[in-house]
Amino acid sequence: MKMQFQLAETPEPMAAERGRLLFAAPVEFLKGVVAMSGLPPADRVEVCFAGRSNVGKSSLINALTNRKNLARASNTPGRTQEINFFTTQGGPYLVDLPGYGFAEAPVNVVKKWQELLKSYLSGRVNLRRAFVLIDSRHGVKKVDDEILTLLDRSAVTFQVVMTKVDKISKAEREKVIEQVKGALAAHPAAHPEIVVTSSEKGEGVDVLRAIIANLE
């Protein structure tokens, strides 16, 4: 049976309130990890954020947590090479993965953090969901598809979060949503709901908060 993809709807009031409360409480940076041996104990639910360099990942994490500089956006895309862990009060770890697909970084550096990314995604037992960020101006590219395939093979449920929707027109938005839906049809680990966001305008942020807060 072919999976039917749709946009995530406004959460029910109780779910929305859980999301609001989770991210109204302090969210703290725990540690940056450069090797699997440095991962914190798998003692709670964990969600991660993955995306191409310059997809707006840091901006989205900052919008989610109501912090301006919790996740640092480098002026040079691809410079962040650590897996960064953040703690929530009574909720999951938030995990900011290294950006992928940035060709100008040194080859040996790219290889090292790609291996770390793959090891993490395939070996973290408490990882409940990966949020894969897709730039609304570009849709799913080949390098994104490679990560989605890795998540399929690792049996990690992933959910696409489209970023920067304020940068395109309504007609362009509808077109790219259809492109994303078509690309996801080939991936059995894909969650059926797509979240559409704008960190700058706040669109979809409450939806994503509710999804994270209600994962078990």
Side-chain angles (χ1 to χ4, degrees):
M1 182 177 177
K2 190 174 181 180
M3 179 78 75
Q4 297 296 314
F5 293 94
Q6 61 186 13
L7 299 186
E9 298 180 352
T10 301
E12 296 291 329
M14 187 174 293
E17 180 64 4
R18 286 197 195 101
R20 187 192 70 80
L21 290 173
L22 177 64
F23 289 101
V27 178
E28 304 289 343
F29 174 73
L30 177 64
K31 66 186 303 189
V33 174
V34 296
M36 291 292 286
S37 59
L39 295 178
D43 58 1
R44 69 197 73 184
V45 170
E46 194 163 291
V47 300
C48 69
F49 299 86
R52 294 194 308 271
S53 295
N54 208 28
V55 74
K57 186 155 50 68
S58 296
S59 296
L60 182 62
I61 292 173
N62 288 336
L64 273 175
T65 58
N66 289 306
R67 310 296 195 274
K68 288 185 177 180
N69 298 302
L70 184 69
R72 296 179 181 177
S74 172
N75 291 328
T76 304
R79 180 165 292 174
T80 303
Q81 299 160 25
E82 298 179 338
I83 296 178
N84 291 312
F85 282 77
F86 303 90
T87 57
T88 59
Q89 288 197 353
Y93 282 131
L94 308 179
V95 186
D96 182 10
L97 299 180
Y100 57 81
F102 186 63
E104 293 184 23
V107 174
N108 62 321
V109 172
V110 172
K111 183 178 179 181
K112 182 178 178 180
W113 91 67
Q114 284 181 342
E115 288 175 352
L116 177 60
L117 180 66
K118 290 177 181 178
S119 296
Y120 169 78
L121 291 175
S122 61
R124 191 66 168 164
V125 296
N126 58 324
L127 179 60
R128 286 294 180 275
R129 188 167 301 175
F131 294 101
V132 181
L133 278 53
I134 301 294
D135 192 322
S136 295
R137 298 170 298 180
H138 307 301
V140 177
K141 290 188 172 184
K142 182 180 178 181
V143 68
D144 298 309
D145 206 61
E146 291 171 0
I147 294 296
L148 303 186
T149 299
L150 172 63
L151 290 163
D152 289 335
R153 292 172 180 166
S154 304
V156 174
T157 299
F158 69 84
Q159 185 164 10
V160 161
V161 179
M162 296 176 61
T163 62
K164 305 183 182 183
V165 293
D166 57 299
K167 307 298 184 185
I168 58 175
S169 68
K170 184 177 180 181
E172 290 171 325
R173 178 188 294 208
E174 292 176 358
K175 184 177 179 180
V176 76
I177 287 172
E178 289 307 309
Q179 189 264 353
V180 170
K181 287 180 179 179
L184 291 180
H187 295 284
H191 188 275
E193 292 187 331
I194 299 166
V195 186
V196 176
T197 68
S198 164
S199 299
E200 190 171 315
K201 304 294 184 182
E203 181 177 348
V205 172
D206 58 337
V207 176
L208 189 52
R209 285 174 180 156
I211 290 169
I212 293 170
N214 288 277
L215 286 174
E216 297 180 355

